[in-house]
């Protein structure tokens, strides 16, 4: 990355790391156990020689660059089936089909520089998107932004729009950097940061 990195997410199988930043790019990294990182410690001032001399620094290499957002990328989340969802202040949620669900490795169609697989624009957000999260089974994707709307998308039906929840974040502040969400392990509910004057969180039951 050439600007601030805002989010780092492991793939569900632990084989890949996705990073998103203010440079609008999403980078996919994979472990290189017999090599050295091609970016030092993920773009830090560390050189490859420094990394080689410090066993605590693992060697990860950038293998795919995702281009599709026009502004800062604020959140990412992987599905169990290898989709990556991204949220940006360009008001868009973008889906990237990266991993083969049968192998957990990069799919055959994946190239070093890749554009979006799907952009969730219709019935989507009207302001900055600041959080995305797949449920534990990968059936539903939720997104949340400064428009204070939580959108629910059905991953099993082409990410069709299921529901727009408008009452959870009424009165919440819009002066927050992120609106990241977290699903319960059984998928029964998802927690949403409401960012009011006093610490609080709301829960949405699908």
């Amino acid at each position: 990355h050439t600007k601030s990195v805002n989010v780092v997410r492991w793939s569900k199988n632990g084989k890949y790391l996705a990073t998103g930043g203010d440079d609008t790019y999403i980078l996919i990294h994979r472990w290189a156990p017999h090599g050295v990182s091609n970016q030092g410690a993920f773009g830090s001032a560390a050189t490859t020689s420094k990394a080689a001399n410090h066993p605590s620094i693992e060697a990860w290499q950038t293998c795919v660059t995702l281009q599709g957002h026009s502004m800062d990328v604020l959140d990412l989340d992987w599905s169990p089936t290898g989709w990556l969802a991204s949220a940006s202040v360009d008001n868009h949620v973008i889906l990237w089909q990266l991993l083969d669900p049968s192998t957990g490795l990069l799919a055959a169609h994946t190239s070093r520089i890749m554009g979006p697989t799907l952009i969730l624009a219709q019935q989507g957000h009207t302001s900055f998107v600041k959080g995305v999260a797949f449920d534990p089974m990968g059936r539903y994707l939720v997104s949340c932004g400064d428009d204070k709307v939580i959108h629910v998308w059905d991953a099993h039906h082409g990410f069709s729009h299921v529901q727009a929840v408008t009452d959870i974040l009424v009165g919440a502040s819009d002066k927050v950097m992120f609106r990241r969400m977290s699903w319960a392990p059984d998928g029964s509910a998802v927690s949403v940061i409401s960012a009011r004057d006093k610490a609080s969180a709301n829960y949405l039951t699908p």
Side-chain angles (χ1 to χ4, degrees):
H1 291 282
T2 58
K3 294 184 179 180
S4 299
V5 179
N6 296 319
V7 57
V8 179
R9 300 289 190 211
W10 294 98
S11 62
K12 301 303 184 187
N13 60 15
K15 295 182 182 293
Y16 300 94
L17 274 171
T19 60
D22 285 354
D23 56 5
T24 75
Y25 295 126
I26 300 164
L27 304 182
I28 308 300
H29 315 266
R30 62 184 164 198
W31 187 40
H34 303 297
V36 294
S37 170
N38 58 358
Q39 293 186 335
F42 289 99
S44 75
T47 63
T48 53
S49 60
K50 274 186 180 179
N53 293 327
H54 289 78
S56 61
I57 300 178
E58 291 190 347
W60 287 74
Q61 295 182 339
T62 304
C63 54
V64 180
T65 299
L66 304 180
Q67 299 179 342
H69 287 293
S70 60
M71 298 181 72
D72 310 7
V73 177
L74 296 186
D75 200 15
L76 301 167
D77 198 34
W78 293 87
S79 80
T81 56
W83 285 86
L84 180 70
S86 58
S88 169
V89 297
D90 63 9
N91 301 3
H92 289 150
V93 176
I94 293 183
L95 277 302
W96 318 80
Q97 191 175 22
L98 295 174
L99 306 186
D100 185 328
S102 62
T103 65
L105 302 177
L106 288 173
H109 67 266
T110 306
S111 57
R112 288 193 60 83
I113 299 177
M114 189 173 159
T117 305
L118 183 64
I119 301 176
L120 302 182
Q122 291 187 344
Q123 296 179 295
H125 292 279
T126 58
S127 188
F128 301 165
V129 189
K130 296 184 172 180
V132 284
F134 280 100
D135 79 82
M137 299 302 294
R139 171 67 190 270
Y140 295 105
L141 172 72
V142 290
S143 60
C144 187
D146 272 358
D147 54 9
K148 301 176 185 177
V149 178
I150 303 167
H151 288 284
V152 184
W153 314 87
D154 188 342
H156 288 188
H157 292 87
F159 291 95
S160 58
H161 190 261
V162 175
Q163 186 178 5
V165 181
T166 59
D167 57 343
I168 296 292
L169 295 176
V170 172
S173 171
D174 56 2
K175 297 179 180 179
V176 294
M177 183 68 175
F178 304 107
R179 289 195 186 278
R180 292 173 177 166
M181 296 163 287
S182 181
W183 285 85
D186 63 359
S188 62
V190 59
S191 61
V192 184
I193 297 172
S194 61
R196 301 171 189 271
D197 291 336
K198 295 182 180 179
S200 62
N202 290 327
Y203 299 90
L204 169 66
T205 301

